[in-house]
Amino acid sequence: MLSPTRDRVDKPVAYVRFLLAAQRIGIPVLAGRVGAFGLILEALGIAMFDSGLGQAEGFNLASLNRRKTVRGDSSSAPQGSRRIYLRPLKTTLPSGMVERILGERGLRSSFACALECCRWRDQQDLGERCREHYLRVRQDEVAQVGRQPTSSMRLSDLHNDLTEARELALVVVRTLRHRGHEPPRFDHLDRWLAVIATVTELAAAA
Ligand SMILES: [Zn+2]
C-alpha cells in the first residue's frame, strides 16, 4: 500500500527509485497518478494512469488486480462525503471542509478556479461539479508540468507550487482554528517537498 499523504519520505522515494531504475533498463512501468505525488512522477517522465477522484492521494497497488469499482465516482456519493481537489493546496478535502474554507471571505479569493469548470459559476457550488473540476484541473496541472523542457525545471516548478501550497495551508489552519474549527492536516505537503528534494538528486544522478 502506497499512501503518499501518510507515508514517511523513505517509502515514496524508494518507489520513485524503483520506477526510475525500471525505466532506465527499459522495463515499461505504469504508475498510479497519486495526487501531487503523481505530478512528481510526471515531472520525472514516468508514464502514468489516473487513479481518479476519491483516491486522489492514496491508491492500493493490490486493488489494480481487482475489478474496478465505482467507489471513485463522486456522482453516486452522498452529499457531504464528496471529496474536492483544491489546486492551490495541492490537496483533496471532504466537501464539508471545502465549504467551510470557501465560506471564509479572507480565504475564498485564493481558491478561484479560472478553468472552464468554474468560470462564471458560483464558487460555493464547487461540490456539485467536483468531478469535472478535478478532471480539468488535473489535466491543466499535467499540461503545466509538461511545458518545462527538463525534469529538473519541472521539479523546481513543483517545489515552488508546493511551497506556496504550504504557505496557504498555514493561513487556512490559522483561520479555521481562529473560528474554533479543527483544521485538516497538511503534513503531506512537507513530505512531498522532502520527496522532491531527494528525487531531484536521484534524477540528476540518473
Ligand atoms: Zn474548476
Side-chain angles (χ1 to χ4, degrees):
M1 176 82 186
L2 182 78
S3 302
T5 55
R6 283 192 298 275
D7 290 345
R8 296 173 58 81
V9 172
D10 48 351
K11 221 163 143 189
V13 166
Y15 182 53
V16 167
R17 201 190 295 269
F18 158 75
L19 292 173
L20 282 174
Q23 200 175 43
R24 199 161 48 240
I25 58 175
I27 296 172
V29 284
L30 199 58
R33 179 181 295 160
V34 232
F37 185 65
L39 294 174
I40 297 175
L41 300 182
E42 189 79 41
L44 292 165
I46 291 167
M48 279 176 302
F49 64 90
D50 204 309
S51 60
L53 186 70
Q55 308 173 306
E57 274 109 26
F59 95 111
N60 189 333
L61 286 173
S63 73
L64 299 180
N65 299 321
R66 294 199 293 266
R67 199 167 60 85
K68 199 168 166 20
T69 68
V70 292
R71 237 187 74 224
D73 184 357
S74 61
S75 57
S76 60
Q79 278 243 344
S81 70
R82 286 183 297 213
R83 293 175 60 76
I84 302 177
Y85 184 63
L86 292 178
R87 180 181 196 163
L89 286 171
K90 290 271 177 284
T91 300
T92 305
L93 291 172
S95 55
M97 183 62 78
V98 171
E99 274 165 34
R100 190 164 281 170
I101 291 171
L102 296 181
E104 292 292 334
R105 290 170 64 87
L107 295 176
R108 206 176 297 157
S109 62
S110 302
F111 293 96
C113 169
L115 300 177
E116 216 174 303
C117 40
C118 299
R119 218 181 289 154
W120 317 121
R121 296 178 74 173
D122 192 344
Q123 214 176 359
Q124 300 288 346
D125 304 334
L126 186 57
E128 287 165 22
R129 54 179 184 278
C130 57
R131 181 152 182 88
E132 189 199 355
H133 170 76
Y134 173 75
L135 293 173
R136 287 195 190 274
V137 167
R138 292 305 288 178
Q139 203 174 31
D140 196 63
E141 280 185 327
V142 170
Q144 190 195 334
V145 169
R147 278 196 282 276
Q148 290 287 18
T150 67
S151 47
S152 64
M153 288 165 89
R154 294 194 284 265
L155 287 169
S156 156
D157 276 4
L158 272 182
H159 187 273
N160 292 342
D161 282 357
L162 283 167
T163 304
E164 280 175 22
R166 192 174 52 175
E167 282 162 17
L168 180 59
L170 287 176
V171 179
V172 168
V173 167
R174 214 180 300 137
T175 306
L176 292 178
R177 283 227 175 97
H178 182 71
R179 300 276 186 204
H181 299 306
E182 181 63 31
R185 296 180 67 92
F186 291 103
D187 325 23
H188 54 282
L189 297 176
D190 286 313
R191 282 197 292 277
W192 282 330
L193 280 164
V195 169
I196 287 182
T198 312
V199 155
T200 302
E201 287 168 29
L202 285 179

